[in-house]
Amino acid sequence: MPRFKLTIEYDGTPFCGWQLQPDAPSVQGALEAAVKAMSGEEVRVHGSGRTDAGVHALGQVAHCDIAKTFPPGRFRDGLNAHLRPDPIAVLAAEIVPETFEARFSAKKRHYLYRIVNTRANLALDIGRVWRVPRALDAGAMHHAAQRLVGKHDFTTFRDTECQAKSPDKTLDQLDVIRDGDTIHVVTSARSFLHSQVRSMVGSLVWVGEGRWSADDLAAALAARDRAACGPVAPPEGLYLVRVEY
């Protein structure tokens, strides 16, 4: 039974998130329906991680096992045909060893958060960035962000409904880069807690506005208390960019 690795791009706006839900459209559900339409088989499509409602992906990875044999290119094209008009694209399909697991084989996940720092309303980027009208000091945000890099207890930046066994995570990268009116927050780690990236970004925006200093951010981390977190950034600015194996 071939195991296919899928690399997937999607606009998360119309979905309740990656994970299958009985009463709401999900990315996983749309992919499983496309696999069934093409192969006639009901199979589980396993993702590398569960993106929340409204979160986008440029390089989500998933795997599935099907009994029928398809050339990878035909499988990709067939899935894309059945996915229309949903805003989901299978960028690549490849046959991998049965030991490959989209979630557990991953060595690092890379995320991007996009902020547009302008007083003007959005036109083309509605639903794809967080517009922050107040002036942000991206340099201060980047300086403060380095206080979060490394291994820490990230309870402060963890959703209260997070199901991870431990709040300890090792953050490999957290960079804040300004390009004109756009601010990119680039982060990577082997894995993240539920809402960790959005929680960190929201707190960094407080730093950028001058409400918090780098020491305030470090104190929030040390508090290990969800109540110490700043605002949680909205989902529409977050992208799963790439998963390393």
Side-chain angles (χ1 to χ4, degrees):
M1 183 178 291
R3 173 161 294 187
F4 279 92
K5 173 188 175 185
L6 307 175
T7 304
I8 308 152
E9 178 180 277
Y10 52 83
D11 177 348
T13 304
F15 300 107
C16 65
W18 165 268
Q19 190 173 11
L20 189 68
Q21 300 289 340
D23 55 355
S26 68
V27 179
Q28 186 181 35
L31 284 163
E32 290 180 359
V35 171
K36 182 179 180 181
M38 186 174 183
S39 68
E41 303 171 41
E42 291 193 11
V43 302
R44 179 54 27 97
V45 176
H46 303 271
S48 68
R50 301 173 181 176
T51 51
D52 290 337
V55 174
H56 315 297
L58 304 176
Q60 169 72 286
V61 175
H63 80 265
C64 62
D65 299 328
I66 58 172
K68 291 185 179 180
T69 301
F70 293 98
R74 183 184 168 199
F75 191 53
R76 175 202 61 211
D77 294 345
L79 291 179
N80 284 329
H82 289 294
L83 284 165
R84 300 188 186 104
D86 286 330
I88 304 172
V90 178
L91 305 179
E94 56 185 296
I95 296 175
V96 292
E98 62 180 15
T99 54
F100 175 85
E101 295 275 350
R103 179 182 176 188
F104 298 109
S105 299
K107 295 181 179 178
K108 189 175 290 190
R109 293 165 173 86
H110 301 266
Y111 280 90
L112 165 68
Y113 196 96
R114 296 177 61 212
I115 298 169
V116 171
N117 191 202
T118 176
R119 293 189 63 82
N121 293 331
L122 298 174
L124 299 180
D125 277 330
I126 293 173
R128 292 179 173 84
V129 299
W130 180 19
R131 182 179 73 91
V132 178
R134 300 166 298 281
L136 297 176
D137 184 338
M141 293 168 68
H142 177 76
H143 173 72
Q146 305 320 298
R147 306 287 284 272
L148 302 182
V149 175
K151 185 175 182 179
H152 304 286
D153 179 331
F154 281 98
T155 296
T156 298
F157 303 99
R158 175 189 192 183
D159 190 276
T160 54
E161 297 182 1
C162 180
Q163 298 177 0
K165 294 180 180 179
S166 170
D168 294 342
K169 293 292 177 183
T170 300
L171 195 63
D172 297 313
Q173 177 188 17
L174 186 58
D175 293 333
V176 182
I177 306 159
R178 178 181 281 278
D179 181 9
D181 288 334
T182 301
I183 295 175
H184 289 164
V185 182
V186 181
T187 187
S188 62
R190 183 179 180 91
S191 62
F192 292 87
L193 299 166
H194 186 189
S195 295
Q196 181 182 345
V197 176
R198 291 167 53 204
S199 298
M200 294 189 301
V201 169
S203 294
L204 286 172
V205 164
W206 270 12
V207 173
E209 292 175 341
R211 299 190 192 190
W212 275 11
S213 66
D215 287 342
D216 291 327
L217 183 69
L221 174 67
R224 302 177 184 176
D225 181 356
R226 183 62 174 167
C229 186
V232 178
E236 57 263 28
L238 184 58
Y239 297 75
L240 173 56
V241 175
R242 182 166 55 96
V243 184
E244 286 186 36
Y245 293 92

